[in-house]
Amino acid sequence: MNESTNPDVVVVGAGLGGLYQLYALRQAGLTARVIEAGDGVGGTWYWNKYPGARCDVESMFYSYSFSPELEQEWEWSEKFPTQPELLKYINHVADRFDLRRDITLNTRVTSAHWDVPSGKWRVTTDTGEVIEAGFVVMATGCLSMPKEFELPGQNGFKGQIYHTGRWPEEGVDFTGQRVGLIGTGSSGIQSIPVIADQALEMTVFQRTPSFTMPAGNRPLDDAQVKELKGRYRELREAQRNSSFGNPFVSDPTKSAFDVSDDERLATYRDGWNSGSLVAILSSYTDVLTDKKANETAAGFIRSKIAEMVRDPEIAETLTPRSYPYGSKRPCLDTGYYDTFNKDHVRLVDLRKTPLVEITESGIRTSEDEYEVDAIVLATGYDAMTGALNAIDIRGRSGVALREKWSNGPVSYLGLAVSEFPNLFTLTGPSSPSVLTNMILAIEQHVDWIVDCLQYMRSNGYREIESTEDAETKWAMHVAEVGNATLFPDADSWYMGANVPGKPRVFMAYVGGANVYRQKCDEVVANDYEGFSFRR
Ligand code: NA7
């Protein structure tokens, strides 16, 4: 076990980002220590053990591309990987590349302070350890800090309350129980059908319905896997050249109104049947930018909900109407709408009857009390900035990052922040991150960071910092591109709108992961334009 208190780099988090970061640093001859709060590696896939947890990006492409050997030897069993399969893969990676010896588990980083005289970060953990390092990489994840659930009375509830993102290791058996579940984002949509299969009664408390499409999950067949494995290099390149990181979905070239109604409908039908999260979103150039174009896609999905849910009133409650399609994270599901055709499943519309409190024996809305034995909170995360702001990060002037970001995150390329030298935020706010394939985004950032560190080493630089000017211009660009889309129209976690009091700012870069990659490469080609270095 590495107990160095003086590595070149401290990496915070041992999820998919932290693990590849460690691997790449070692390859470059740098020493690193990874500090991880969990009792195991895996990040999102370690914590999210709720029933039905599954990635909605295809397994063959929600996987690392850095090692062709790993790509060839690992066998995915299904089109969309389950959480246990992903966790197994991640653990395999940790073993295969001998990563564990530099990872400290069960330890949370509480602060990171830049020490001006030594030109180093002083990183403190909740075990009292202080580590000094030249660089810090925050691999803390975009959706890792559960949102505080603000309902009164929780402590008095007699049964158990579970958060989907902090699920017990040993699992939960809901057999014979009356379960109340709050939240119908991706976690709710994946877990509701599975919990409903087990529970005696299931009551779903919905504030905003999601747009969700059938995943069409299935076992992968050998011939197909062989074919895809044979084309991995070409397909990885296709991923890198697409906005969403999907090798089979190319960026659109036509408006939704450049084609006939019949052709558009056929395209949406194909998208619906493809089981691809982004197929309908990327059918036309204006689905995410023009309300009328968006309405053609949204209307199509609404018509599918009406076909699948037998009771028209329940179908209407499940139908999203208050925001454009895609402006809140769309979902893929397995049997979601059909679950509401079952007699033991109830849907409570919180728009009509808001939550009031948790009582001893259940959940009270403005109209009724629902007795339940267990409560599942699928209420989401303080996304993008939550995990970073939870750490007391202080830069050159002693100002905390969370103070600097009190009006929303400002960061150059989503990678670096002025006044915070030698700090990198992996898939940080203002980068494409959650709007593309996360592993692709991670690999791009890690490779960029490691190239930068090598550049610094060969030029004798000890410090790198983004300039305020570059950071401001990038923030303006991110906002401009975001404002040209329909994203600001929704109260989403992309906008920080799910957390009371959080500034309303669009926190991702929606210009496309491919365009973003080019911009990052241009910065390097122009001698790290927008950064200053010190020897
Ligand atoms: P999400 O997508 O943020 O969903 C959370 C859900 O919980 C959503 O339906 C919320 O309704 C609901 N919610 C949150 N707070 C409340 C309160 N106070 N009262 C009632 N309902 C509430 O989180 P997930 O975990 O499902 O998914 C996160 C991401 O992980 C997902 O997008 C994928 O990228 C993977 P709201 O919409 O705010 O009205």
Side-chain angles (χ1 to χ4, degrees):
M1 172 68 73
N2 175 358
E3 290 181 353
S4 162
T5 50
N6 208 352
D8 294 324
V9 186
V10 166
V11 179
V12 186
L16 286 158
L19 292 184
Y20 178 50
Q21 183 67 71
L22 170 60
Y23 170 83
L25 287 167
R26 276 202 203 146
Q27 293 297 104
L30 291 152
T31 60
R33 254 188 85 184
V34 181
I35 308 295
E36 165 58 50
D39 186 29
V41 299
T44 287
W45 303 108
Y46 169 84
W47 295 104
N48 279 274
K49 296 186 168 103
Y50 62 81
R54 195 184 277 281
C55 183
D56 49 21
V57 176
E58 293 186 30
S59 52
M60 297 284 295
F61 301 98
Y62 189 83
S63 51
Y64 289 119
S65 71
F66 72 84
S67 162
E69 297 77 25
L70 173 67
E71 278 174 342
Q72 293 301 321
E73 73 198 16
W74 185 261
E75 301 290 344
W76 294 105
S77 68
E78 292 178 74
K79 179 180 173 194
F80 294 108
T82 60
Q83 175 271 334
E85 187 166 21
L86 271 163
L87 194 58
K88 210 168 141 197
Y89 170 74
I90 297 168
N91 274 287
H92 169 74
V93 170
D95 292 328
R96 190 191 190 289
F97 298 101
D98 186 24
L99 300 178
R100 293 188 199 275
R101 64 186 156 86
D102 288 329
I103 302 172
T104 307
L105 298 174
N106 292 308
T107 305
R108 191 173 282 280
V109 168
T110 51
S111 71
H113 293 177
W114 177 253
D115 182 55
V116 176
S118 65
K120 289 200 164 190
W121 283 97
R122 285 171 65 82
V123 177
T124 309
T125 72
D126 63 355
T127 57
E129 192 179 357
V130 179
I131 310 167
E132 289 200 347
F135 297 86
V136 169
V137 178
M138 292 292 173
T140 40
C142 300
L143 291 151
S144 49
M145 172 63 66
K147 180 177 90 114
E148 225 172 275
F149 187 65
E150 57 278 353
L151 213 59
Q154 281 185 64
N155 293 340
F157 180 62
K158 281 189 304 203
Q160 289 293 319
I161 302 182
Y162 306 98
H163 190 285
T164 48
R166 290 289 178 272
W167 206 256
E169 179 71 42
E170 63 283 7
V172 182
D173 182 3
F174 290 110
T175 309
Q177 294 198 28
R178 299 163 303 172
V179 181
L181 183 146
I182 303 171
T184 49
S186 217
S187 305
I189 281 177
Q190 290 190 337
S191 57
I192 287 164
V194 184
I195 297 176
D197 266 354
Q198 230 180 36
L200 181 68
E201 272 177 29
M202 172 108 194
T203 309
V204 175
F205 296 84
Q206 172 196 277
R207 188 163 68 183
T208 314
S210 290
F211 285 96
T212 174
M213 308 200 302
N217 187 43
R218 52 181 157 71
L220 286 171
D221 70 71
D222 293 348
Q224 191 193 10
V225 170
K226 195 164 171 235
E227 197 255 337
L228 292 175
K229 282 191 173 176
R231 293 171 58 205
Y232 246 140
R233 295 281 60 75
E234 165 212 338
L235 294 169
R236 295 298 194 187
E237 201 46 35
Q239 280 188 279
R240 289 188 191 103
N241 289 326
S242 90
S243 293
F244 291 117
N246 184 316
F248 305 114
V249 176
S250 31
D251 290 352
T253 52
K254 284 184 194 165
S255 152
F257 301 112
D258 284 346
V259 298
S260 68
D261 290 355
D262 285 350
E263 183 181 336
R264 191 167 55 239
L265 195 61
T267 301
Y268 290 156
R269 265 199 211 110
D270 288 349
W272 177 269
N273 293 328
S274 72
S276 160
L277 191 62
V278 294
I280 292 185
L281 279 180
S282 36
S283 308
Y284 300 107
T285 50
D286 40 8
V287 172
L288 273 170
T289 55
D290 177 79
K291 277 190 182 152
K292 278 196 180 147
N294 187 278
E295 207 33 49
T296 63
F300 169 79
I301 299 177
R302 290 185 196 122
S303 71
K304 292 303 229 183
I305 301 172
E307 279 170 26
M308 286 183 292
V309 181
R310 281 201 288 274
D311 180 321
E313 206 179 314
I314 299 176
E316 182 52 33
T317 306
L318 288 166
T319 300
R321 297 197 186 273
S322 61
Y323 61 94
Y325 169 57
S327 62
K328 279 170 89 97
R329 170 73 154 65
C331 309
L332 287 184
D333 71 87
T334 302
Y336 180 66
Y337 291 116
D338 193 42
T339 304
F340 294 92
N341 292 327
K342 296 181 177 168
D343 291 338
H344 73 298
V345 178
R346 249 188 319 201
L347 180 65
V348 177
D349 184 352
L350 299 178
R351 297 270 163 187
K352 291 189 178 145
T353 60
L355 289 174
V356 174
E357 62 173 344
I358 308 276
T359 64
E360 251 189 29
S361 51
I363 297 173
R364 195 198 308 277
T365 65
S366 59
E367 201 140 286
D368 270 309
E369 181 171 350
Y370 299 85
E371 290 211 344
V372 295
D373 303 307
I375 296 175
V376 176
L377 300 177
T379 43
Y381 296 86
D382 182 351
M384 319 294 279
T385 52
L388 290 167
N389 286 343
I391 302 172
D392 181 38
I393 306 171
R394 288 176 194 263
R396 182 182 299 290
S397 61
V399 170
L401 186 65
R402 62 169 87 100
E403 282 167 48
K404 177 164 170 141
W405 284 1
S406 58
N407 293 322
V410 181
S411 143
Y412 186 34
L413 301 171
L415 262 169
V417 186
S418 73
E419 291 282 314
F420 293 80
N422 293 11
L423 174 79
F424 297 105
T425 50
L426 210 58
T427 66
S430 314
S431 74
S433 67
V434 292
L435 295 181
T436 186
N437 177 314
M438 278 307 294
I439 302 192
L440 208 64
I442 284 166
E443 289 188 331
Q444 188 244 335
H445 266 186
V446 166
D447 293 345
W448 193 97
I449 292 166
V450 172
D451 285 350
C452 172
L453 296 184
Q454 285 176 313
Y455 169 85
M456 288 177 70
R457 190 168 50 189
S458 51
N459 286 281
Y461 294 132
R462 282 171 53 88
E463 291 179 27
I464 178 173
E465 188 177 333
S466 107
T467 66
E468 209 177 328
D469 183 50
E471 170 181 278
T472 307
K473 285 192 180 130
W474 181 252
M476 283 163 58
H477 176 59
V478 170
E480 190 189 341
V481 181
N483 287 336
T485 71
L486 299 171
F487 280 100
D489 290 16
D491 289 335
S492 65
W493 54 256
Y494 298 127
M495 297 293 301
N498 64 328
V499 174
K502 194 167 171 174
R504 193 183 172 93
V505 177
F506 184 59
M507 292 184 287
Y509 179 64
V510 68
N514 43 355
V515 173
Y516 173 80
R517 179 184 295 272
Q518 275 168 19
K519 287 190 186 287
C520 291
D521 291 347
E522 277 163 25
V523 165
V524 176
N526 295 329
D527 295 330
Y528 288 88
E529 188 179 9
F531 288 96
S532 62
F533 291 95
R534 275 178 288 273
R535 287 210 157 82

